[in-house]
């Protein structure tokens, strides 16, 4: 199962570990800041993006884990 992360804040490493333990692979991350690039490098995630739409267009994902503040869900997720 291939997963993408929306947001790479402090909770992201814990989710990454949980997905790995479940046998899933996080293959892409996105963040509006440059943090997606450094997170992807640190955790050896092959793809990083600065917007959700680009990640969804370029990666064949089985699921997306939204790790932003709940108040931003409507803002960061495409309809």
């Amino acid at each position: 199962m291939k997963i993408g992360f929306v947001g790479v804040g402090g909770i992201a490493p814990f989710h990454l570990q949980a997905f790995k333990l479940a046998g899933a692979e996080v293959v892409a991350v996105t963040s509006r800041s440059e943090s997606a690039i450094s997170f992807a490098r640190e955790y050896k995630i092959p793809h990083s993006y600065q917007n959700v739409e680009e990640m969804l267009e370029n990666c064949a994902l089985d699921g997306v884990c939204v790790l932003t503040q709940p108040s931003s869900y409507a803002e960061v997720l495409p309809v």
Side-chain angles (χ1 to χ4, degrees):
M1 178 176 257
K2 295 182 179 180
I3 304 295
F5 279 5
V6 178
V8 292
I11 197 70
F14 298 102
H15 280 79
L16 180 63
Q17 182 180 17
F19 277 109
K20 284 183 178 182
L21 288 172
E25 179 184 11
V26 177
V27 297
V29 295
T30 183
S31 176
R32 289 182 285 190
S33 71
E34 300 263 332
S35 59
I37 296 168
S38 58
F39 186 88
R41 282 186 190 144
E42 181 177 351
Y43 292 100
K44 298 177 178 53
I45 296 170
H47 306 285
S48 62
Y49 301 96
Q50 288 193 336
N51 67 67
V52 177
E53 293 85 2
E54 186 180 9
M55 181 177 75
L56 295 175
E57 287 175 12
N58 292 296
C59 289
L61 300 172
D62 298 305
V64 174
C65 183
V66 180
L67 300 173
T68 62
Q69 294 293 325
S71 60
S72 72
Y73 288 175
E75 181 184 340
V76 298
L77 295 176
V79 177

